[in-house]
Amino acid sequence: MNAAWIVSLFSYLEPLLCAAALVFLLRSEAVRNFRYLVAFLSVRLGADLVWLSLVRLNTLALIDKHLAYRIYFYVYWSSYALEAALSLLVVYSI
């Protein structure tokens, strides 16, 4: 077991944990109380799914790596800005 394997494991585990947290929040009907947390987890899950699909498309050679990087760049920074704002709102709502 090396560090690259652990990083890869957490890269695939994070979207699953975000999705599980969203499912638990939706099932408990706590969405009204934690709407900023739901929005934060949704943005995070969306960015992770775009990243995972770009990685998969790039490994299958279905997309050029430069195009994949440009897509990833804009998705990453726009989701980062949204996550920063939503993080502040989550902390403020506590």
Side-chain angles (χ1 to χ4, degrees), residues 57-90:
L57 288 173
N58 195 21
T59 57
L60 294 175
L62 296 175
I63 190 171
D64 181 41
K65 64 181 177 181
H66 298 293
L67 176 62
Y69 177 75
R70 278 187 277 171
I71 294 170
Y72 172 72
F73 178 83
Y74 289 111
V75 168
Y76 175 80
W77 285 110
S78 60
S79 68
Y80 181 80
L82 280 171
E83 288 172 19
L86 289 169
S87 297
L88 288 173
L89 292 172
V90 167

Side-chain angles (χ1 to χ4, degrees):
M1 183 183 304
N2 56 12
W5 185 83
I6 293 173
V7 169
S8 177
L9 173 70
F10 285 129
S11 297
Y12 291 109
L13 191 61
E14 182 184 5
L16 291 174
L17 293 175
C18 284
L22 281 171
V23 167
F24 290 140
L25 283 170
L26 291 171
R27 287 186 70 202
S28 69
E29 298 176 0
V31 176
R32 287 180 296 230
N33 296 334
F34 301 107
R35 63 181 176 264
Y36 297 124
L37 180 62
V38 170
F40 175 81
L41 290 173
S42 300
V43 169
R44 188 74 204 149
L45 180 63
D48 286 340
L49 291 177
V50 169
W51 178 80
L52 287 173
S53 63
L54 286 174
V55 167
R56 185 72 178 154
L57 288 173
N58 195 21
T59 57
L60 294 175
L62 296 175
I63 190 171
D64 181 41
K65 64 181 177 181
H66 298 293
L67 176 62
Y69 177 75
R70 278 187 277 171
I71 294 170
Y72 172 72
F73 178 83
Y74 289 111
V75 168
Y76 175 80
W77 285 110
S78 60
S79 68
Y80 181 80
L82 280 171
E83 288 172 19
L86 289 169
S87 297
L88 288 173
L89 292 172
V90 167
V91 170
Y92 180 71
S93 67
I94 293 174

